[in-house]
Amino acid sequence: EALRQDCEYMFGPSLLISPVTAPGVTEWRTYLPKSEGGWTDYRTGKHYDGGQTVTIAVDKTFIPVFVRNSAATLSGVSLLKSR
């Protein structure tokens, strides 16, 4: 399933980028590959299990970015921003 996605891509081993490629949309579907520990939405901090397609609210001010949870901290430095 992951190989069938035409817009999203991995940026290194830990970040999944899902750029919005249609104008004026308010929701965007992203496939999250299976991953031990799942994925976290970088902007909201919400956790998602891998192996599924999720629909998230979007606007023109950001692109969806998900952090692979097995990589949420590297050398004690959090990849997720403080809330």
Side-chain angles (χ1 to χ4, degrees):
E1 185 66 27
L3 296 177
R4 288 191 255 171
Q5 308 310 305
D6 60 349
C7 294
E8 63 189 63
Y9 59 93
M10 292 297 298
F11 187 75
S14 306
L15 299 176
L16 184 133
I17 314 299
S18 183
V20 177
T21 58
V25 298
T26 58
E27 293 183 326
W28 196 251
R29 292 172 49 90
T30 300
Y31 177 73
L32 301 174
K34 289 182 181 179
S35 177
E36 185 177 329
W39 298 85
T40 298
D41 182 321
Y42 181 79
R43 183 175 63 100
T44 66
K46 183 174 180 181
H47 174 268
Y48 296 94
D49 291 329
Q52 67 172 328
T53 299
V54 297
T55 301
I56 60 169
V58 297
D59 63 34
K60 62 182 179 179
T61 63
F62 77 96
I63 61 171
V65 175
F66 295 87
V67 179
R68 186 186 307 262
N69 280 347
S70 60
T73 58
L74 297 173
S75 300
V77 177
S78 177
L79 293 177
L80 300 175
K81 62 184 177 182
S82 299
R83 284 172 212 13

